[in-house]
Structure formats: C-alpha cells, structure tokens
Amino acid sequence: MEKKIKQTWQFNTTPEQVWEYLTNPELIELWLMKTNFKPEKGAKFQFTFQAKPEAQYHGVVECEVLEITPFSKLSYSWNGSTLDKSRSYNSVVTWTLTRTENGTELQLSHDGFNVLEDILTHSNGWNSCLTKMENLIKQQK
C-alpha cells in the first residue's frame, strides 16, 4: 500500500508569493489551520482546529520544521491522533516549489501513513485546503 499523498498544484504567481502562504502564520490560518509556525529549522509548532463532535481526528497536530530552503523547499513533521486516541500517525509533510514559465509548481508530499482511511481523509483535506490557497492567491491579483 502506498503510504504517501502526492499532489501537484500550479499557481500563476511567483514562488515567493506561494512561499508566503506556506510560511506566514497569518496567511496559513486563512487556508489551513490556526498555527504558531516559525520558519526556522528545528522550530516546534502546532496546527490546531476545533474538532466537531463527529470528527475523527483530535484538534491538535504537533509539528517540527525539518528542512527549510527559502522559496523552494519546506518540510515538517506532522504528528497527530484520532479523537479517541486509539490511533496516532507520525508523518512528514514536504512542500517543493519550482519556478515555471507561467508561475510556480507546488508539490506536496505527505508521507508516513499506515491506515488507508488516514490517507484518504488527509488527501481530501489537502485538496480542500489548497483550493482555498489557490482562491486566496487569485484574489490578490
């Protein structure tokens, strides 16, 4: 079973602008979750959300910046659990930005899942979040 989510998005803007949406906590909160992210290798941070009563996941994701190369690569751990704490996941999110003729290609890799349900849920979540990011960037033009 593939334990990784891989998605590629195209943005008609610079890698610098896309980078801002990946590293500025105020912008991250507009498309992903509330966070105390710091763009520094080794920085520990959290993503938090209000879990709905029917939610599968606990409302806190513990993270640490593993790699950061401005405007081209960002990687961090992504550790969380189900709401009832019966299952946890320890995974890694990696963002890779590549300048293209028409703007920026953004690649997402989220690796380290062991349960198909977690892969599907997170894949759908990333699609939703990145669509929000895409719309926010388009509104800035």
Side-chain angles (χ1 to χ4, degrees), residues 16-67:
E16 291 81 6
Q17 186 175 18
V18 176
W19 184 257
E20 279 296 306
Y21 278 88
L22 295 175
T23 60
N24 180 325
E26 292 175 8
L27 294 176
I28 294 169
E29 290 179 18
L30 295 176
W31 66 273
L32 186 54
M33 287 181 261
K34 185 170 177 53
T35 186
N36 58 344
F37 177 83
K38 289 185 181 132
E40 301 166 3
K41 185 174 180 177
K44 295 185 181 195
F45 65 99
Q46 296 179 329
F47 287 111
T48 59
F49 62 97
Q50 183 63 43
K52 297 175 184 160
E54 72 278 4
Q56 178 179 350
Y57 297 104
H58 181 52
V60 178
V61 181
E62 300 287 343
C63 305
E64 180 179 347
V65 176
L66 303 173
E67 182 178 351

